[in-house]
Amino acid sequence: MSSSYDPNAVEGPIFESWVAGNYFGSEIVDGVRPYSVVIPPPNVTGSLHMGHALNNTIQDVVIRRIRMTGRPARWVVGTDHAGIATQNKVEQKLTAEGLSRYDLGREKFVEACWEWKAEYGSTIINQLKAMGCSCDYDDIWFTMDPSYQKAVRRVFVDWFDAGLIYRGKRIINWCPRCTTALSDIEVEHEDVDSHLWHLRYPLKEPVAGIDHVIVATTRPETMLGDTCVAVHPEDERYKDLIGATVVLPLIGREIPIVADDYVDPSFGTGAVKVTPAHDPNDFEIGERHDCAKINVMNADATISGEGGAYAGLDRYEARKRIIADLEAAGLLVGIDDHVHSVGHCYRCHTVIEPWLSDQWFVDMKPLAAPAIDAVRDGRVTFHPKRWENVYFHWMENIRDWCISRQLWWGHRIPVFYCDACGNMEAALDDITTCSKCGSSSIRQDEDVLDTWFSSQLWPFATFGWPEPDPRVDYFYPTAMLSTARDILFLWVARMIMSGMYFNEGQIPFDDVIIHPTVFNAEGKRMSKSLGTGVDPLDLMDHYGADGMRFGLMLQVTGAQDLKFSEEKLVSSRNFANKIWNASRFVLMNLEGYEPGEPVANTVADRWILSRLADLSARVSEGLDTYEFGEVARLLYDFFWSEFCDWYIELSKARLNCGDAASRLAVQRNLVFVLDRALRLLHPIMPFVTEEIWRNLPLPESERAASLMIAAWPDPAELAGFVDEGAERSVSRLIEVVSGIRGVRARYQLPPKQQLEVVFKTAGDAEREWVESEFAAMARLAGVGSFEAGVGVDKPAHSATVIASGLEVYVPLEGLVDFDAEAARLAKERDRLSGDLGKLEKKLSNEGFLAKAASEIIEKDRARAAELAEALALVEAQLADLS
RNA sequence: GGGCGCUUAGCUCAGGGGGAGAGCACUUCCUUGACGCGGAAGGGGUCAGAGGUUCAAAUCCUCUAGCGCCCACCA
């Protein structure tokens, strides 16, 4: 074994051995409930980013741990066709070749998308493998697989037939760049500094001496499509004007003034220009007053033929010209600064245009109700729990979902129109003749479905649904879903709704983990396009997959943000190296070893086994509750600060003591503790642990072909090792050793100089304890010999260590810098008396004595006694020095 | 307009009613037979501020400030 761990040499072969061993598990085991997880399918255009790295580590940690408990565990993997995102990529590629999708035509373009998928679709799968993710790679899914297409059609047809899917002419969110509709949650709102333009609209005939109304707008270009002006019915200013006629400037259209409760008299002028084809509120007003809906914009946000002289202009150019023309006509009354929220396309960030068009919708309220109940009554649990409120809030105010997209790449809407009789039907299989009139003038709807319409079926379509498939019954519902918070509504909520609808009310997953979002050091979202990203592949190159995984897990807490820290990866890489070297030490010292049970001969043995028992209980519990940061910290502290720093150091003397029995005992303990530690570490650091574990000479009963499928340490079995006495004893010894080391450091004693120290003990019991237990520790303090006695005198020229109620004298030749020693002791005295003062005050507080738990009082009394003792010792030392 | 999260050592962050912690950085020492991706010993904090609850508050409650985020038809 080399003296440092080289992840690049280890990871590839280890991963291949897992594949060869077929440990990723997709088989159905009768009578055993499996643990199944579906991966949030990355976009097929995508490559691994930090969010994936974090989320997939979480899932792999959970599933590897469960697999080790012996339960069938399966992690379904695949990719999403990602309608708009992929179409945009392919269009960009075409643009670079000087082509547009219209040059190719629909069929050829879709072929180009499939080619793209063939070329890039496995990129992210390979990156998941590099991370060590233990997915079922024998059964990789894609949201446009033939069987998946059947699932999508089945869902559409069922909902259509149930009246849950309908077509309607509505104001939707239109992206003029992608030239498609978007759902409400695909729009990202941003506050923008803009203006409120006040426009004067003249009346056709003056009414009661009034010859105009002034309206205010943030989008002046929409005035081309105004078909009425609305005021509040109670508004005294405008009462006489209701029913009057306005002549729309620039266009000359005569439009009425109507009264509508929607209008807020206190905003602006209290008069609203109404453009029913370009604003959802105006649409409603228009409906109520039977006003025309004039669409003044084309799909690319240029002004349409309805826009008179402005036809053909881009929306912002038109805005400029209209303002200029109104001003020239004396109709621009004023311009106020105004901050308002502007919607942007979540894929290309173009400003969204509210636009009137024919679209397909899903009626969500009936689907939402049972999905709300499922979370309310705990069948689905969110972690952290606070996300449930976010879910409830959205679900309780849910609005219908616009599912049609004017794209070519995606699941085509399975609705067929008969041109002969006007029949419209949804069908599982393409139809060529009208089921009503028999005509063959049939055409399919041109639009495709929202990507999320197919993504929502992921937890059951990936098991073969809607075909009768044993996998559906076996693997559905899944156990856990881990994801980023930004797709809570887009994806998670919809999976719960559709999952329950199509699986007899059965929820799609028990637990939902909402992991923190990864931000960079400046608190900006990590993004490739912003140049703020870090490439996980680079990180794995530098720190190893294990280093990256452990470093990420260290950073997972209940907070909603995670400022990514590369330093944590440095310490994690170092930790992997530490594991490697500690293991190397154990393996290099196995001469004469015979496999067998651990042997708790010494207090140190009992201590490390007790600490291991504690660790295993906490790690299991932490994983059960998804506290990944806590688990990583526990493992790090145990392995480094307890096992390496103390147990291994202590083992060195016993390995070389010449007593075969003692040597064998410590060898067995080293192997046992290392083995269990590697098992506990494996879910987070699968590669380095596997590489080492295969070389461990375990008893036959403990072996397995791979650590991946070795038994998870059962906290109940290790509980027998819990030994509070040994833990207390070793804590004291560690304190004494550290104290003596402190003296060495302070006085810069040569490392090789062996010390002869004297313990002054409080009684014979303590003297015997020192005599029996300290010998094993002496080497670690550089102590060559020691004596202990109740009334021993302090040797001349010695420094004093006060630790754990013991007084230890360290004689120093030529010592001592009395002033330095006195200063140090004075500082120690101040600290002790400060602490003691606080504690005594507390202990003399009657309220405390009356109300605090008795264990607390006992503990504080014991501590006060210790402090008082230590303080007395320090004061005696100080007196001695002066 | 409503809601959520954060504010703890120089930096990044854990902890979450009863002795202030880690990693990194810093200081001193160590070519000690696992590891310099290491070891030992240190320095460094009125736990954002103000009130309150409690015998006891970094921790619970209220308010304030700053930062970040999410929802909401904010002409």
Side-chain angles (χ1 to χ4, degrees):
Chain A
M1 282 174 87
S2 99
S3 69
S4 63
Y5 173 57
D6 178 6
N8 295 321
V10 165
E11 291 170 5
I14 289 284
F15 193 86
E16 280 163 31
S17 77
W18 289 332
V19 173
N22 198 22
Y23 304 134
F24 298 142
S26 56
E27 63 286 347
I28 290 174
V29 183
D30 284 332
V32 184
R33 199 194 158 201
Y35 192 94
S36 59
V37 174
V38 290
I39 199 170
N43 288 355
V44 72
T45 59
S47 60
L48 199 66
H49 62 239
M50 288 314 298
H52 293 126
L54 175 67
N55 191 29
N56 292 315
T57 300
I58 287 172
Q59 291 166 81
D60 200 39
V61 167
V62 169
I63 206 147
R64 278 180 182 272
R65 183 278 183 115
I66 296 288
R67 189 181 290 116
M68 288 175 75
T69 65
R71 187 168 165 195
R74 177 160 179 243
W75 186 9
V76 177
V77 71
T79 51
D80 195 302
H81 72 279
I84 305 179
T86 306
Q87 173 151 339
N88 284 351
K89 289 257 183 191
V90 174
E91 283 193 276
Q92 276 165 24
K93 194 179 161 200
L94 290 177
T95 304
E97 294 164 12
L99 295 169
S100 82
R101 66 174 154 129
Y102 301 102
D103 294 326
L104 267 68
R106 182 166 191 151
E107 206 171 314
K108 283 263 164 56
F109 180 80
V110 170
E111 269 174 37
C113 291
W114 280 105
E115 281 163 22
W116 178 284
K117 190 256 175 189
E119 193 172 345
Y120 299 105
S122 57
T123 303
I124 197 154
I125 302 288
N126 291 329
Q127 292 172 335
L128 292 172
K129 292 178 179 173
M131 280 185 61
C133 292
S134 60
C135 312
D136 179 2
Y137 297 104
D138 289 337
D139 191 21
I140 299 176
W141 282 80
F142 180 56
T143 56
M144 286 193 26
D145 284 339
S147 110
Y148 208 105
Q149 301 215 24
K150 281 190 183 171
V152 170
R153 268 178 100 137
R154 171 66 183 280
V155 166
F156 189 98
V157 170
D158 277 14
W159 277 353
F160 180 91
D161 291 344
L164 290 168
I165 286 182
Y166 65 91
R167 186 172 166 79
K169 202 176 189 78
R170 299 286 174 84
I171 298 280
I172 46 76
N173 306 290
W174 184 261
C175 175
R177 205 219 59 82
C178 301
T179 59
T180 181
L182 296 172
S183 66
D184 294 334
I185 45 178
E186 288 170 304
V187 177
E188 290 174 353
H189 290 275
E190 251 174 57
D191 277 350
V192 170
D193 288 323
S194 179
H195 304 286
L196 197 54
W197 286 273
H198 296 261
L199 313 178
R200 183 199 308 265
Y201 281 11
L203 296 186
K204 189 179 177 192
E205 308 280 348
V207 176
I210 302 169
D211 66 353
H212 69 273
V213 288
I214 294 172
V215 296
T217 181
T218 54
R219 294 187 295 149
E221 64 281 9
T222 61
M223 62 85 61
L224 300 173
D226 286 0
T227 54
C228 68
V229 169
V231 296
H232 194 273
E234 312 291 310
D235 193 332
E236 290 300 331
R237 292 171 295 179
Y238 299 114
K239 243 181 170 157
D240 296 335
L241 298 186
I242 295 167
T245 300
V246 164
V247 180
L248 188 63
L250 307 180
I251 294 289
R253 181 161 55 240
E254 294 186 2
I255 60 176
I257 293 177
V258 302
D260 197 286
D261 286 335
Y262 167 78
V263 179
D264 173 3
S266 66
F267 187 92
T269 59
V272 186
K273 61 183 271 313
V274 177
T275 321
H278 293 279
D279 182 278
N281 296 315
D282 291 7
F283 180 86
E284 299 294 326
I285 296 173
E287 287 280 279
R288 286 194 285 273
H289 301 280
D290 203 23
C291 298
K293 303 178 182 74
I294 300 174
N295 197 330
V296 298
M297 251 180 238
N298 298 314
D300 62 355
T302 56
I303 302 302
S304 74
E306 296 283 355
Y310 304 93
L313 293 176
D314 173 77
R315 54 184 163 171
Y316 297 120
E317 182 58 27
R319 177 180 295 181
K320 267 191 227 160
R321 299 268 284 268
I322 287 165
I323 291 165
D325 292 349
L326 286 169
E327 187 167 22
L331 298 173
L332 180 63
V333 180
I335 307 175
D336 292 344
D337 287 339
H338 184 68
V339 177
H340 70 134
S341 172
V342 175
H344 296 77
C345 173
Y346 82 137
R347 284 299 172 216
C348 72
H349 218 66
T350 300
V351 173
I352 290 301
E353 205 58 47
W355 205 50
L356 184 66
S357 61
D358 280 310
Q359 302 291 343
W360 287 94
F361 297 87
V362 181
D363 176 10
M364 299 306 284
K365 284 242 182 319
L367 297 170
I372 290 169
D373 291 345
V375 175
R376 185 90 61 202
D377 63 25
R379 276 173 288 158
V380 176
T381 312
F382 283 68
H383 306 266
K385 206 167 175 56
R386 72 181 120 85
W387 290 105
E388 291 178 4
N389 287 329
V390 180
Y391 172 86
F392 290 138
H393 183 256
W394 189 74
M395 291 287 275
E396 281 159 4
N397 296 287
I398 201 162
R399 295 189 301 160
D400 287 357
W401 175 15
C402 175
I403 52 170
S404 41
R405 297 289 176 274
Q406 288 63 48
L407 303 171
W408 287 348
W409 175 241
H411 294 271
R412 187 132 172 209
I413 290 177
V415 169
F416 298 83
Y417 305 93
C418 173
D419 286 332
C421 72
N423 183 38
M424 172 173 90
E425 58 188 303
L428 290 172
D429 298 304
D430 290 357
I431 54 174
T432 50
T433 52
C434 177
S435 64
K436 232 179 192 169
C437 73
S439 160
S440 56
S441 298
I442 294 283
R443 60 189 167 80
Q444 184 172 0
D445 197 293
E446 293 293 324
D447 291 349
V448 300
L449 289 162
D450 182 2
T451 289
W452 299 103
F453 190 90
S454 57
S455 313
Q456 66 173 335
L457 317 179
W458 190 249
F460 51 101
T462 52
F463 299 132
W465 188 93
E467 298 301 313
D469 189 315
R471 290 176 299 180
V472 181
D473 292 332
Y474 190 63
F475 291 113
Y476 188 96
T478 68
M480 177 273 287
L481 181 97
S482 176
T483 191
R485 65 173 186 261
D486 53 353
I487 52 176
L488 178 58
F489 308 141
L490 282 168
W491 191 50
V492 179
R494 288 165 178 169
M495 280 191 287
I496 299 175
M497 291 186 273
S498 65
M500 292 179 73
Y501 188 92
F502 291 102
N503 294 278
E504 286 117 34
Q506 270 202 84
I507 52 156
F509 27 70
D510 301 323
D511 286 349
V512 177
I513 298 175
I514 304 290
H515 65 68
T517 304
V518 183
F519 292 88
N520 70 3
E522 285 74 47
K524 299 263 182 279
R525 192 184 218 94
M526 282 208 159
S527 147
K528 235 182 283 177
S529 52
L530 295 174
T532 50
V534 178
D535 188 342
L537 296 176
D538 289 343
L539 295 177
M540 286 193 272
D541 237 27
H542 288 127
Y543 307 108
D546 291 331
M548 182 183 75
R549 292 168 59 119
F550 195 87
L552 283 171
M553 289 303 93
L554 275 174
Q555 298 177 65
V556 178
T557 63
Q560 61 183 12
D561 297 343
L562 181 164
K563 259 201 259 173
F564 176 71
S565 153
E566 200 160 329
E567 284 167 359
K568 292 277 195 319
L569 270 54
V570 174
S571 51
S572 300
R573 187 257 331 246
N574 295 352
F575 183 45
N577 191 55
K578 188 74 177 178
I579 295 167
W580 178 263
N581 275 294
S583 306
R584 201 160 67 95
F585 171 83
V586 172
L587 294 169
M588 281 176 359
N589 283 284
L590 289 181
E591 211 181 301
Y593 168 81
E594 302 281 343
E597 295 289 303
V599 187
N601 282 344
T602 69
V603 68
D605 297 335
R606 294 196 298 277
W607 168 76
I608 196 66
L609 291 168
S610 182
R611 299 302 304 139
L612 175 70
D614 180 64
L615 175 76
S616 92
R618 288 172 191 254
V619 166
S620 281
E621 195 194 333
L623 289 176
D624 286 342
T625 49
Y626 308 123
E627 288 162 26
F628 302 101
E630 174 71 2
V631 167
R633 247 167 267 121
L634 286 167
L635 288 164
Y636 185 98
D637 289 344
F638 172 81
F639 198 91
W640 201 312
S641 308
E642 298 185 317
F643 185 55
C644 291
D645 287 353
W646 294 99
Y647 193 74
I648 286 186
E649 289 307 320
L650 282 169
S651 76
K652 287 177 180 173
R654 288 167 70 196
L655 287 166
N656 298 316
C657 69
D659 172 19
S662 178
R663 182 177 157 88
L664 180 59
V666 80
Q667 284 172 329
R668 284 189 179 166
N669 296 337
L670 285 168
V671 170
F672 180 79
V673 174
L674 178 59
D675 165 61
R676 292 303 193 266
L678 291 173
R679 291 174 197 243
L680 293 169
L681 282 159
H682 181 260
I684 307 185
M685 304 185 107
F687 291 107
V688 67
T689 52
E690 176 83 84
E691 177 73 9
I692 295 160
W693 192 80
R694 291 184 179 173
N695 294 312
L696 278 190
L698 297 175
E700 204 54 50
S701 61
E702 305 271 341
R703 288 191 198 155
S706 161
L707 180 51
M708 250 189 90
I709 52 166
W712 180 252
D714 181 353
E717 276 174 28
L718 290 170
F721 288 126
V722 171
D723 187 335
E724 285 176 23
E727 296 211 21
R728 264 197 309 277
S729 203
V730 171
S731 305
R732 287 187 84 189
L733 290 166
I734 286 174
E735 206 181 324
V736 170
V737 170
S738 297
I740 297 171
R741 284 169 170 174
V743 171
R744 299 192 74 104
R746 253 189 325 280
Y747 298 107
Q748 304 202 350
L749 304 182
K752 294 208 166 136
Q753 184 183 328
Q754 294 290 292
L755 304 175
E756 295 172 21
V757 304
V758 177
F759 288 82
K760 185 175 177 182
T761 62
D764 282 331
E766 197 168 77
R767 179 180 54 75
E768 283 165 24
W769 178 80
V770 171
E771 284 168 353
S772 68
E773 303 297 356
F774 185 71
M777 305 290 273
R779 207 183 66 91
L780 300 190
V783 169
S785 63
F786 68 94
E787 57 177 293
V790 176
V792 294
D793 290 327
K794 177 181 175 186
H797 304 298
S798 56
T800 307
V801 173
I802 289 151
S804 263
L806 286 163
E807 208 166 345
V808 188
Y809 305 122
V810 184
L812 301 168
E813 258 175 85
L815 184 75
V816 167
D817 182 343
F818 290 103
D819 289 344
E821 188 71 354
R824 188 187 66 81
L825 284 166
K827 195 176 169 189
E828 178 72 359
R829 177 200 57 201
D830 294 346
R831 186 184 65 84
L832 287 168
S833 70
D835 286 358
L836 183 61
K838 271 187 265 177
L839 204 54
E840 278 174 341
K841 194 174 159 201
K842 187 171 167 186
L843 283 164
S844 63
N845 181 332
E846 284 177 26
F848 174 70
L849 296 173
K851 296 191 179 174
S854 59
E855 314 88 78
I856 299 286
I857 298 172
E858 281 315 301
K859 208 178 125 194
D860 281 349
R861 279 193 175 133
R863 209 179 119 238
E866 268 175 46
L867 285 172
E869 197 179 346
L871 184 59
L873 295 178
V874 169
E875 276 169 347
Q877 289 306 314
L878 270 169
D880 205 38
L881 282 174
S882 58

